[in-house]
Amino acid sequence: MLNYSYYPFKNILEDIGAEDLVLLKDVSEGWYIDYKVQSLKIPDLAKQLSAFANQYGGWLIIGVNEASDGSRTASEFVGIPVSELEKVSRDIREASSAHVNPEVLYEEKVISGPIESIGLAEDKAIIIIGIPMSENTPHIHSSGRIYRRLADQSKPKEETDRYILDDLWKRGSDRKIKLRNFLTATPAIPNSQSDSSWAYIFLKPSQSQKGPSKKLSFKDFSEVLGAENVKTMNGVKMPFDGIYTTSDGFLARNIGKNDPSLATTSFRWWHNGTVRLDIPLNKYDLSTFLSQIDIHKYGADYYLLAEEFGFNDIDVVDYSLFCQTTAALINFYLHLLDVLGDKRDVYSCFTIKNVFHTIPFIDSKSFLERCKVNSIPLTLDKNIVLPAEPSEESMFSHKYSVRDVDFKCPKQYTPIPYLFSSPIFYRVLLSVGIISCIEEFSGDTELFGFHKLNKQ
């Protein structure tokens, strides 16, 4: 259920029944409630949705007649014909998505008759629409007007007060700034690792779509990422041997034989569903890279080419296993979403940190051939942030349909973590010059590192 400034019912929205509707006989129409005896035209529905979202949020209840004694409380639960339910629900969706910008988030509950205690007939139903207060304001009606809900009016009022309008813009702007700052912040790391290179990938569920009713528990988190589940779960995976709670979520770390006090590959979950994947990138000076070339198919050729081009005092950042690591972490993320029943689209962004004056390596023959023609690319940015100002408008969208498969069927599910993470991987490789176009990406299977899994 969404968060509401005012909640008039006893039960949660999914369980609302006759006893909850009876409570409305003592609730007057006003700031948070609007009763309609029948549905509205789509543009008028859009006015109601945007007005509630722009103000404090509230409830549009269709099929209820208000009292005529001036109290404006719910009087008769006449309902609307059950045969019209599908059309009304469709109209509400269209009002939100096509007649309000940005789209209004809402949830809907239908209560069907017969309910003798409130006089709701067998072929009639009540529709309850909950609209939370929005932080993504202002929501602008398709007419170009901005509406707000006012206590003394049963209809939303077109807003013309410059102070109020500025405040609505500020509310939306503050949210975007807060989100941008959060999605571009990277964690502090120990001084001994201050020069290490990292990839930080943020995954954020859509705020314009209804989230799951279930909240992720630590038991759910630890079971999905724990060692026992890793043995049986489908898809690419990696072990996590440190799983903890935090002040605002949960954390899983891949420690292995490393010093547990050092930063390492991590999976950070916040209670709002946002996730950060912390992925260390192997960085070597050329001499150390030379000592590692036995684990690379094309490492020796790359080293000789670097010498030929005159690279001497330079560090190499190895992206050869980045795709596999990213896909493994995203595999856990997808399983967590499946546990929650979360069907929202997901947005992603990333930061590549501490890569200034480095040259990238990936164990690919095609990459090596491009380097012979164009030289080895040199990364001139200390940190790469894409998009530079992340928001739902600029981040990459991962549609739910991509992961809408049977997670228990290996044939269906195994490629899904790669399909989900490929847009991220593509943009990372593009940003450091390993590839220059989608054709170089899609036509080179060695970029994905499958041939290295048995070696490392």
Side-chain angles (χ1 to χ4, degrees):
M1 192 174 78
L2 303 175
N3 294 321
Y4 294 96
S5 304
Y6 171 73
Y7 194 79
F9 308 110
K10 177 182 178 181
N11 296 302
I12 62 173
L13 189 63
E14 290 81 0
D15 298 333
I16 286 177
E19 62 176 335
D20 296 282
L21 292 179
V22 170
L23 296 176
L24 298 178
K25 292 186 175 183
D26 294 320
V27 179
S28 298
E29 187 178 77
W31 287 104
Y32 300 101
I33 298 284
D34 198 336
Y35 301 118
K36 298 296 178 187
V37 70
Q38 58 188 10
S39 187
L40 304 171
K41 294 180 180 179
I42 293 175
D44 292 327
L45 284 169
K47 289 180 184 179
Q48 297 284 348
L49 295 175
S50 62
F52 276 123
N54 282 331
Q55 193 65 6
Y56 304 126
W59 302 87
L60 177 61
I61 303 174
I62 300 173
V64 175
N65 204 359
E66 66 181 74
S68 58
D69 60 3
S71 65
R72 302 174 73 182
T73 57
S75 174
E76 299 175 281
F77 298 91
V78 294
I80 62 172
V82 170
S83 59
E84 295 181 10
L85 282 175
E86 184 177 347
K87 178 183 182 303
V88 174
S89 291
R90 187 170 60 247
D91 287 350
I92 296 167
R93 288 195 300 272
E94 183 176 343
S96 172
S97 61
H99 287 264
V100 182
N101 186 30
E103 184 175 349
V104 170
L105 178 63
Y106 71 91
E107 54 187 340
E108 180 182 320
K109 170 68 176 178
V110 174
I111 301 175
S112 300
I115 303 177
E116 185 176 346
S117 61
I118 59 173
L120 186 64
E122 181 177 3
D123 58 346
K124 296 296 181 67
I126 307 290
I127 299 182
I128 300 174
I129 306 163
I131 309 105
M133 177 181 176
S134 175
E135 293 183 353
N136 199 20
T137 53
H139 293 272
I140 304 173
H141 190 266
S142 56
S143 64
R145 297 177 174 89
I146 296 173
Y147 291 93
R148 279 196 313 133
R149 183 79 185 167
L150 293 178
D152 59 348
Q153 295 195 6
S154 60
K155 293 183 179 180
K157 178 186 175 185
E158 178 186 347
E159 188 54 67
T160 57
D161 187 305
R162 179 58 186 268
Y163 175 82
I164 297 297
L165 291 173
D166 286 346
D167 190 59
L168 287 172
W169 284 106
K170 185 177 184 301
R171 192 203 306 177
S173 177
D174 287 349
R175 170 194 164 274
K176 290 178 180 178
I177 292 171
K178 183 178 179 181
L179 177 63
R180 182 191 67 200
N181 291 342
F182 177 81
L183 295 175
T184 54
T186 56
I189 57 177
N191 291 334
S192 60
Q193 296 176 282
S194 60
D195 193 45
S196 57
S197 298
W198 290 82
Y200 298 104
I201 300 170
F202 286 89
L203 303 167
K204 188 191 80 65
S206 172
Q207 288 191 331
S208 62
Q209 296 171 327
K210 183 184 175 183
S213 56
K214 179 179 178 179
K215 298 295 183 182
L216 188 73
S217 67
F218 181 68
K219 182 175 182 291
D220 294 329
F221 183 79
S222 58
E223 284 183 350
V224 169
L225 279 77
E228 289 303 314
N229 186 54
V230 168
K231 295 176 183 178
T232 58
M233 73 186 297
N234 288 321
V236 60
K237 52 226 174 195
M238 66 182 298
F240 283 105
D241 43 9
I243 302 178
Y244 328 105
T245 60
T246 67
S247 61
D248 47 15
F250 312 123
L251 174 66
R253 302 178 67 227
N254 172 240
I255 301 170
K257 297 180 181 179
N258 298 312
D259 181 344
S261 67
L262 296 178
T264 185
T265 306
S266 300
F267 186 109
R268 180 79 182 259
W269 172 281
W270 279 269
H271 288 312
N272 64 4
T274 303
V275 162
R276 189 188 69 224
L277 312 178
D278 301 359
I279 303 174
L281 301 171
N282 291 326
K283 182 161 70 171
Y284 315 100
D285 58 37
L286 271 177
S287 60
T288 305
F289 179 78
L290 180 61
S291 69
Q292 301 284 324
I293 60 173
D294 59 327
I295 63 173
H296 299 304
K297 193 174 180 180
Y298 306 103
D301 293 333
Y302 180 84
Y303 176 82
L304 292 174
L305 191 62
E307 279 198 327
E308 180 183 329
F309 282 121
F311 287 107
N312 296 310
D313 185 19
I314 197 75
D315 286 334
V316 178
V317 177
D318 185 3
Y319 295 86
S320 297
L321 282 175
F322 179 71
C323 174
Q324 295 297 331
T325 305
T326 301
L329 296 179
I330 282 178
N331 186 24
F332 289 114
Y333 177 62
L334 298 182
H335 276 82
L336 290 174
L337 295 182
D338 188 55
V339 166
L340 291 174
D342 193 338
K343 298 183 178 182
R344 289 177 291 179
D345 298 337
V346 173
Y347 294 91
S348 67
C349 61
F350 65 83
T351 295
I352 308 296
K353 190 172 182 178
N354 287 341
V355 289
F356 174 67
H357 209 259
T358 62
I359 54 176
F361 171 75
I362 198 162
D363 208 12
S364 156
K365 182 179 181 180
S366 296
F367 168 63
L368 194 65
E369 293 300 321
R370 289 193 295 273
C371 290
K372 290 177 181 178
V373 175
N374 301 315
S375 184
I376 296 174
L378 178 66
T379 305
L380 295 177
D381 298 305
K382 181 177 181 180
N383 301 323
I384 299 170
V385 182
L386 282 181
E389 296 187 359
S391 66
E392 290 196 2
E393 291 75 27
S394 62
M395 295 164 71
F396 185 82
S397 173
H398 306 259
K399 298 297 184 184
Y400 168 69
S401 57
V402 172
R403 64 181 198 270
D404 185 18
V405 299
D406 183 357
F407 278 46
K408 295 181 180 179
C409 175
K411 185 176 181 180
Q412 288 187 30
Y413 181 74
T414 298
I416 299 305
Y418 294 104
L419 290 173
F420 190 101
S421 59
S422 285
I424 302 170
F425 188 44
Y426 167 72
R427 284 164 174 76
V428 169
L429 298 190
L430 193 68
S431 69
V432 296
I434 290 176
I435 58 172
S436 63
C437 61
I438 190 65
E439 289 76 19
E440 292 174 357
F441 177 74
S442 59
D444 185 2
T445 56
E446 288 183 320
L447 294 175
F448 291 83
F450 291 105
H451 62 295
K452 305 182 71 63
L453 290 182
N454 293 331
K455 290 185 177 182
Q456 293 176 266

